[in-house]
């Protein structure tokens, strides 16, 4: 086999941990990461010619699979016309219209370059709109590496946040209150502890960053009601779920209207993007329409917008979400059955095309539940799959994604490989 063009040692010499984002380094499962050379459809290929069925999907954006011809064509065309102008373009208006058309709660949208930027900006707007400082987030909820959101205390009880990372000051994190996912009581407690001080509640309407944890019935409704009563801003972080669980995101699926919505991933068709949007009177507070400053040299980048438009066009035709749901069900049912046969405790939690196979025998409702998973068992599972040509996300607490490029044969091969893995683990 050919040697990779660049070795992992060289990567680690010049980049912290050898990567541009921590989860890529296989820290949670051990071993050296695969250095990717290319991707096509449902597959990725490494530099030595190894081929993998990809269930990472670049951590969410690639709902059409790798190098989808329509997306590639759109990006090529856009690149030939110039890659950035720092001035308004047609494409960004059309993408904004597509997004506002798909999400009834979003009347106006501002494009940024990442999900992190979008959540950071949405918080600024919420604080400006309410004149308050505190924010409620949930244990196990991830909203990018925004200072004030890099906080996650024990679940269940609302507590004042302590920072997760050095470099985040106590002054920043003290305005973050951590509540338990799926626990309306912990949110009520936060609001009664800090009346008229909470600017916003930010929530993943379907949690995806402690593994996939759907909201229990009444949870999102409860958040909506509490925010209405206290005149706080409800922010749905739909960076993962937007255009992933349905064309109108999780808010369409559950019929709940947030005040602000944060997006990213799928809306960029695999290129860098983020966006936040919501009701007109809130969004018109954003500069230059209003006083809340927020800007970006490459925001609304023509290549990202072109890729996003091409992707959303595909998702707006036919029944892609029905197809994704069938593929997702096939995979989750198969994994669940094979684990049972092998006597491996496993709980597969899935919404449409996103799922997590928790190595625990209990249903997971929050971070505490997720932590009952056998992470060593998961690490062995992950490496067995990788050896068998299946690229599963390298962490127990992440979502695996099926995409429209997967077919029944791909799924059957994943299940077969997983079956062998379960037998070895069990
Ligand atoms: C990925 C993610 C983000 C951050 O987006 P980036 O583009 O990585 O900055 C925010 N929120 C959620 C729910 C995410 O999954």
């Amino acid at each position: 086999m050919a040697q990779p063009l660049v070795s992992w040692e060289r990567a680690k010499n010049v980049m912290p941990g050898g990567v541009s984002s921590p989860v890529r380094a296989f820290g949670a499962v051990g071993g050296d990461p695969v250095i990717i050379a290319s991707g096509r459809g449902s597959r990725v290929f490494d530099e030595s010619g190894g081929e993998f069925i990809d269930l990472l999907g670049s951590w969410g954006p690639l709902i059409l699979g790798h190098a989808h011809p329509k997306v590639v064509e759109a990006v090529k065309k856009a690149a030939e016309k110039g890659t950035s102008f720092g001035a308004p373009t047609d494409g960004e208006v059309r993408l904004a219209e597509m997004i506002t058309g798909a999400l009834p709660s979003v009347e106006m949208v501002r494009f940024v370059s990442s999900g992190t930027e979008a959540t950071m900006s949405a918080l600024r707007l919420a604080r400006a709109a309410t004149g308050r400082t505190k924010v409620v987030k949930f244990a196990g909820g991830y909203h990018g590496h925004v200072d004030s959101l890099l906080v996650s205390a024990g679940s269940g009880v609302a507590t004042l946040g302590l920072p997760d990372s050095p470099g985040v000051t106590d002054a920043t994190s003290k305005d973050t209150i951590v509540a338990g996912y799926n626990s309306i009581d912990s949110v009520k407690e936060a609001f009664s502890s800090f009346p008229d001080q909470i600017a916003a509640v930010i929530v993943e309407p379907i949690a995806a960053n402690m593994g996939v944890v759907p909201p229990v019935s009444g949870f999102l409704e409860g958040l909506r009601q509490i925010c209405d009563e206290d005149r706080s801003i409800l922010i749905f972080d739909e960076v993962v779920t937007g255009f992933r669980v349905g064309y109108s995101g999780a808010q369409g699926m559950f019929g709940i209207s947030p005040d602000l919505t944060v997006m990213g991933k799928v809306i960029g068709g695999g290129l860098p993007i983020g966006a936040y949007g919501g009701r007109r009177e809130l969004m018109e507070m954003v500069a230059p329409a209003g006083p809340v400053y927020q800007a970006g040299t490459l925001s609304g980048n023509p290549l990202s917008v072109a890729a996003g438009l091409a992707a959303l066009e595909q998702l707006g035709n036919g029944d892609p979400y029905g197809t994704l749901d069938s593929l997702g069900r096939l995979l989750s049912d198969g994994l669940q059955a094979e684990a049972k046969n092998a006597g491996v405790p496993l709980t597969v939690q899935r919404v449409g095309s996103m799922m997590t196979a928790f190595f625990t025998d209990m249903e997971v409702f929050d971070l505490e539940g997720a932590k009952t998973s056998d992470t060593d068992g998961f690490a062995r599972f992950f490496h067995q799959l990788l050896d068998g040509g299946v690229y599963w996300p390298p962490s127990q607490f992440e979502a695996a994604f099926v995409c429209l490029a997967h077919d029944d044969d791909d799924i059957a091969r994943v299940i077969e490989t997983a079956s062998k893995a379960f037998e070895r683990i069990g």
Side-chain angles (χ1 to χ4, degrees), residues 347-378:
T347 303
V348 186
Q349 298 194 176
R350 175 184 73 89
V351 179
S353 57
M354 51 193 260
M355 74 186 73
T356 297
F358 288 103
F359 278 67
T360 179
D361 54 11
M362 55 179 267
E363 198 181 337
V364 174
F365 296 104
D366 56 16
L367 184 60
E368 228 162 73
K371 282 184 171 165
T372 65
S373 302
D374 169 13
T375 50
D376 292 336
F378 171 80

Side-chain angles (χ1 to χ4, degrees), residues 88-112:
T89 63
D90 244 38
E92 63 186 356
V93 180
R94 287 195 288 132
L95 185 58
E97 284 173 351
M98 257 177 131
I99 290 170
T100 55
L103 300 172
S105 78
V106 177
E107 293 175 332
M108 297 183 97
V109 67
R110 165 60 59 86
F111 290 113
V112 293

Side-chain angles (χ1 to χ4, degrees), residues 49 60 93 241 248 263:
V93 180
T241 53
S248 54
M263 289 157 278

Side-chain angles (χ1 to χ4, degrees), residues 70 122 132 186 210 228 245 290 295 312 314 333 337 382 413-414:
K70 289 274 203 271
R132 302 173 180 178
S186 69
M210 54 178 141
D228 283 344
V245 296
L312 298 197
Q314 295 300 303
D333 287 356
F382 167 83
R413 264 196 52 195
V414 174

Side-chain angles (χ1 to χ4, degrees), residues 118-178:
T119 55
M120 182 185 80
S121 309
L123 286 190
R124 182 180 303 152
L125 175 55
R127 285 173 165 146
T130 56
R132 302 173 180 178
T133 52
K134 293 198 183 301
V135 169
V136 173
K137 79 173 286 285
F138 295 91
Y142 179 69
H143 308 287
H145 59 96
V146 178
D147 276 359
S148 62
L149 296 174
L150 272 187
V151 174
S152 162
S155 59
V157 195
T159 47
L160 271 182
L162 294 172
D164 272 353
S165 167
V168 175
T169 65
D170 294 344
T172 303
S173 58
K174 81 171 181 14
D175 284 329
T176 306
I177 304 160
V178 179

Side-chain angles (χ1 to χ4, degrees), residues 60-418:
L62 298 183
I63 198 165
L64 304 179
H66 294 273
H68 188 280
K70 289 274 203 271
V71 174
V72 172
E73 186 193 305
V75 172
K76 274 186 184 163
K77 270 194 181 157
E80 279 164 2
K81 292 200 264 177
T83 56
S84 184
F85 307 109
T89 63
D90 244 38
E92 63 186 356
V93 180
R94 287 195 288 132
L95 185 58
E97 284 173 351
M98 257 177 131
I99 290 170
T100 55
L103 300 172
S105 78
V106 177
E107 293 175 332
M108 297 183 97
V109 67
R110 165 60 59 86
F111 290 113
V112 293
S113 296
S114 72
T116 297
E117 237 187 306
T119 55
M120 182 185 80
S121 309
L123 286 190
R124 182 180 303 152
L125 175 55
R127 285 173 165 146
T130 56
R132 302 173 180 178
T133 52
K134 293 198 183 301
V135 169
V136 173
K137 79 173 286 285
F138 295 91
Y142 179 69
H143 308 287
H145 59 96
V146 178
D147 276 359
S148 62
L149 296 174
L150 272 187
V151 174
S152 162
S155 59
V157 195
T159 47
L160 271 182
L162 294 172
D164 272 353
S165 167
V168 175
T169 65
D170 294 344
T172 303
S173 58
K174 81 171 181 14
D175 284 329
T176 306
I177 304 160
V178 179
Y181 197 78
N182 277 328
S183 165
I184 274 295
D185 285 347
S186 69
V187 178
K188 284 185 180 154
E189 205 178 310
F191 275 82
S192 59
S193 301
F194 302 100
D196 302 324
Q197 294 173 59
I198 295 173
V201 173
I202 184 164
V203 65
E204 294 178 71
I206 299 164
N209 287 284
M210 54 178 141
V212 173
V213 181
V216 296
S217 158
F219 178 59
L220 298 176
E221 291 82 350
L223 295 182
R224 181 65 278 175
Q225 193 186 341
I226 291 169
C227 285
D228 283 344
E229 285 166 6
D230 199 75
R231 281 173 288 119
S232 291
I233 304 283
L234 179 59
I235 306 174
F236 274 10
D237 180 344
E238 296 229 44
V239 171
V240 170
T241 53
F243 294 93
R244 162 62 68 180
V245 296
Y247 198 74
S248 54
Q251 53 194 270
M253 176 173 263
F254 297 111
I256 311 280
S257 281
D259 301 297
L260 290 174
T261 299
V262 182
M263 289 157 278
K265 296 190 174 130
V266 171
I267 64 162
L271 270 73
I273 206 165
Y276 62 106
R279 281 203 315 278
R280 186 173 302 281
E281 77 265 23
L282 275 176
M283 291 307 291
E284 282 187 336
M285 290 186 72
V286 176
V292 180
Y293 195 71
Q294 186 273 307
T297 303
L298 292 171
S299 294
N301 176 261
L303 300 194
S304 301
V305 162
L309 275 170
L312 298 197
E313 261 159 34
Q314 295 300 303
L315 296 170
N317 285 320
D319 183 25
Y321 295 101
T323 306
L324 288 164
D325 189 57
S326 307
L327 287 165
R329 175 173 295 118
L330 198 61
L331 180 54
S332 61
D333 287 356
L335 292 175
Q336 194 70 73
E338 296 299 337
K340 194 171 177 213
N341 284 343
V344 173
L346 192 82
T347 303
V348 186
Q349 298 194 176
R350 175 184 73 89
V351 179
S353 57
M354 51 193 260
M355 74 186 73
T356 297
F358 288 103
F359 278 67
T360 179
D361 54 11
M362 55 179 267
E363 198 181 337
V364 174
F365 296 104
D366 56 16
L367 184 60
E368 228 162 73
K371 282 184 171 165
T372 65
S373 302
D374 169 13
T375 50
D376 292 336
F378 171 80
R380 279 181 286 153
F381 170 75
F382 167 83
H383 279 292
Q384 298 275 339
L385 289 190
L386 197 64
D387 289 348
V390 175
Y391 197 124
W392 192 269
S395 163
Q396 170 70 95
F397 306 112
E398 298 285 353
F401 297 100
V402 295
C403 72
L404 289 166
H406 287 113
D407 59 20
D408 288 4
D409 286 346
D410 287 336
I411 303 298
R413 264 196 52 195
V414 174
I415 293 168
E416 195 188 311
T417 313

